[in-house]
Amino acid sequence: MSDWWRGSVTYQVYPRSFQDTDGDGIGDIPGITRRLEHIAGLGVDAVWLSPVFTSPMADMGYDVSDYTGIDPLFGTLADFDALLDRAHELGLKVIVDQVISHSSDRHPWFQESLRDRTNPKANWYVWADANPDGSPPNNWVSVFGGSAWEWDATRRQYYLHNFLTSQPDLNFHEPEVQDALLDVMRFWLDRGVDGFRLDTVNYYFHDTGLRSNPPAKPDDDWPPVNTYEMQEHLYSKTRPENIGFLKRIRALVDEYDGRTLVGEVGDTRERSMGIMGDYTSGGDKLHMAYSFDMLGPDYSAGHFRSLVTRFFNRASDGWPCWSFSNHDVVRHATRWAENADTHDGLVKQALALLLSLRGSVCLYQGEELGLTETALEFEELTDPPGIRFWPDYKGRDGCRTPIPWEADKPHGGFSEVKPWLPVKPPQLARSVDSVEADPNGSLAFYREMMRFRKSRPELITGDIRFLETEEPVLAFIRSTDATRTAVVLNLSPLEIDLEIEGLNLMPNAPVQAAKTGEGSLILGPNGFGYFDAQEDAAIRSA
């Protein structure tokens, strides 16, 4: 099972919003353990935990002040061990988030580094002198807005922060930093975790010459809300030295049986597929990588076809991990609503598409319920970029609201007290117990689709070949030497008439609004079907 990750399905848990058991309105590790059977019941292979490490929570745990401690908000190391044991009993792997491109400014490493320019950790973070006029050393900007440089009066230098000012970037050009972070990973591997999700994996290194980034090419939406999008980030991230450190991480992980690495690539659509390919090819770096390309507004056949094709053209031996929602983006049930005939119709079709693409898959908590983005008032926000850029950008809180478990309980059964983000009526209407009671609902379909996928090896590790189709029809064949399945989807809220050759609707397979006749196929709104396919299968508009 050393390659269990290939074609796997991972369920992402955002711990603050999963289940509160200690009555503080914030989800915790015992709450996750309590609800693990729900996750296992979906038929997934692994669970990914967003950060639970010690943190001042300026960025909700993505600002770590102790890489080997559990924040008291979430519990204890003993609680984590209990979760790990229970997950393994249920057949679930456990992947933990590693946020190592930066730390919290409360981390002891940074506190020592800022003390002076000669201490043992003076070079563990990215420090630079001011320009003669006092301005920052270059034009690099923060993902969260403003300059990526912050002046420190003690050292009388600027330090680099690609995110919040309280998230200083570690200096990966310093060998001791690399060694220390590898020791952190070894700590969790020895504890029994099954792998790591590496946050902002292409941000580790910076250009040592501190060259300024060139401007980005203006588009139709120019100027953007955030100045970060006004630069082409050639020198502040995705540097060639990254490859060498990824190889060091992989060598460490390979000392342990059956462990895996999945990296988050944050870059433009023009570059991200290439970076994913470079970081996963060759068998000596990441096992998998994902980007934000499928986490945006585009829901078209050409979009999905081009991304998959570009990835495998770049890295035939690499491996992607696809997802449609996560803790950083608007939930896809809301994001793609204009493509829906009915809410559940879109939710089911999106899953059928996701689980049929070549690659591994990550599901985000609550999408099995068909949860939509929560509409929040400004006063309810906690997310720093949402507060800064409101109302043009409302931040990430809307996808992070608590899971509603029971419709008839306060706050949906998530907590007995007011939670850190509200549970509102549209989300409460899709509570776990409510959706569970519907045999034709999204939760039942997620389980059905997972069972079907596991019964078809070609859907897990098989090759993929796209058929020539016109919008809004997406069609492809997944195949192994012994098996072949065609998937045909109508990515629109309108009915489509098609002529088909060499395709026969597969009995006992998931299907939605699909009818076949002699050489014909009618796909209703958001319709899809699975087909036994001949080698010369073809589809044409009727």
Side-chain angles (χ1 to χ4, degrees), residues 153-186:
T154 301
R155 280 187 54 145
R156 292 176 173 79
Q157 284 183 305
Y158 283 97
Y159 66 85
L160 178 67
H161 61 92
N162 271 299
F163 298 91
L164 295 175
T165 57
S166 58
Q167 293 172 298
D169 274 54
L170 284 152
N171 180 16
F172 283 77
H173 293 284
E174 172 57 60
E176 289 185 0
V177 170
Q178 294 189 30
D179 293 343
L181 294 171
L182 292 174
D183 286 344
V184 166
M185 294 185 189
R186 188 178 293 279

Side-chain angles (χ1 to χ4, degrees), residues 8-64:
S8 62
V9 179
T10 297
Y11 184 96
Q12 182 193 354
V13 168
Y14 194 70
R16 295 180 69 91
S17 296
F18 206 61
Q19 177 68 69
D20 173 26
T21 62
D22 60 5
D24 63 357
I26 296 173
D28 46 50
I29 293 173
I32 300 170
T33 304
R34 174 183 164 190
R35 299 294 189 179
L36 279 175
E37 290 187 13
H38 169 78
I39 301 173
L42 294 173
V44 302
D45 303 291
V47 56
W48 150 30
L49 303 181
S50 288
V52 292
F53 311 118
T54 310
S55 167
M57 299 295 165
D59 191 23
M60 299 306 167
Y62 284 86
D63 49 323
V64 180

Side-chain angles (χ1 to χ4, degrees), residues 57 88 91 193 198 205 286 386 448 492-493 521:
M57 299 295 165
H88 288 163
V193 303
L198 299 173
F205 285 83
L286 302 178
E448 176 192 5
S492 83
L521 169 63

Side-chain angles (χ1 to χ4, degrees), residues 460-475:
I460 299 176
T461 57
D463 292 333
I464 188 167
R465 177 171 66 87
F466 288 94
L467 301 179
E468 293 186 14
T469 56
E470 298 178 1
E471 295 287 352
V473 177
L474 177 63

Side-chain angles (χ1 to χ4, degrees), residues 258-285:
R259 311 302 169 92
T260 195
L261 297 166
V262 56
E264 176 199 41
V265 171
D267 216 302
T268 63
R269 180 173 176 178
E270 290 74 22
R271 301 181 66 193
S272 58
M273 290 298 110
I275 298 168
M276 286 170 58
D278 292 344
Y279 284 11
T280 63
S281 61
D284 59 352
K285 298 177 282 294

Side-chain angles (χ1 to χ4, degrees), residues 137-140 207-214 234-236 239:
N138 60 32
N139 72 345
W140 296 352
D207 174 50
T208 55
L210 300 183
R211 287 172 285 183
S212 286
N213 288 322
L234 296 184
Y235 302 114
S236 52
R239 302 301 298 159

Side-chain angles (χ1 to χ4, degrees), residues 442-505:
S442 60
L443 185 52
F445 182 79
Y446 266 65
R447 293 167 178 160
E448 176 192 5
M449 191 63 219
M450 283 296 306
R451 287 192 296 268
F452 175 70
R453 186 174 190 270
K454 288 187 174 182
S455 74
R456 308 295 302 187
E458 65 273 23
L459 292 180
I460 299 176
T461 57
D463 292 333
I464 188 167
R465 177 171 66 87
F466 288 94
L467 301 179
E468 293 186 14
T469 56
E470 298 178 1
E471 295 287 352
V473 177
L474 177 63
F476 49 90
I477 295 176
R478 300 294 310 279
S479 62
T480 65
D481 291 340
T483 57
R484 185 186 299 121
T485 293
V487 188
V488 185
L489 308 101
N490 169 20
L491 305 183
S492 83
L494 304 175
E495 185 176 282
I496 301 290
D497 292 350
L498 302 167
E499 294 179 358
I500 58 174
E501 293 180 11
L503 294 172
N504 295 299
L505 199 59

